[in-house]
Amino acid sequence: METPTIRPGKVETSSPVPRVLAYFANSAQGNSVIQYLGQLGVRSDQLGVTPPDHLPKSQGMVLSIPCETPELMAQVEKICRSQGARVHRSRG
């Protein structure tokens, strides 16, 4: 077993960001939304993805999308719903 490495630098705590949780029955739809989210300014390093192999029946995809503003949240929800996702909000 290797010793874990620790990266130098100060870690700043941040307040929780509200999120949109989207369940896609088809992972292809989830992948297309992931590509579009980058154009909206959603940081990909904060995007949570549950791939199909971690879901029942190995189908679908769950995205946890950080939305820093109410306007961005409305856009993200609209895009996800247009691709057939079930959408829920999380306060963060």
Side-chain angles (χ1 to χ4, degrees):
M1 176 181 243
E2 292 183 27
T3 305
T5 57
I6 299 173
R7 295 175 51 194
K10 183 178 179 181
V11 176
E12 296 189 28
T13 58
S14 63
S15 61
V17 177
R19 292 182 168 270
V20 170
L21 303 174
Y23 170 74
F24 296 89
N26 184 337
S27 60
Q29 294 165 323
N31 284 326
S32 68
V33 169
I34 289 172
Q35 293 175 3
Y36 192 70
L37 290 174
Q39 296 173 359
L40 290 177
V42 175
R43 292 180 45 187
S44 62
D45 65 332
Q46 294 184 355
L47 181 66
V49 179
T50 304
D53 56 338
H54 289 24
L55 295 174
K57 299 182 185 178
S58 295
Q59 284 188 311
M61 180 180 285
V62 177
L63 298 180
S64 175
I65 308 162
C67 299
E68 297 181 6
T69 64
E71 295 81 18
L72 179 60
M73 184 172 279
Q75 286 181 317
V76 167
E77 286 180 353
K78 182 179 177 183
I79 292 165
C80 291
R81 285 193 176 107
S82 73
Q83 291 297 317
R86 286 186 290 168
V87 176
H88 304 277
R89 287 185 179 195
S90 170
R91 294 184 197 167

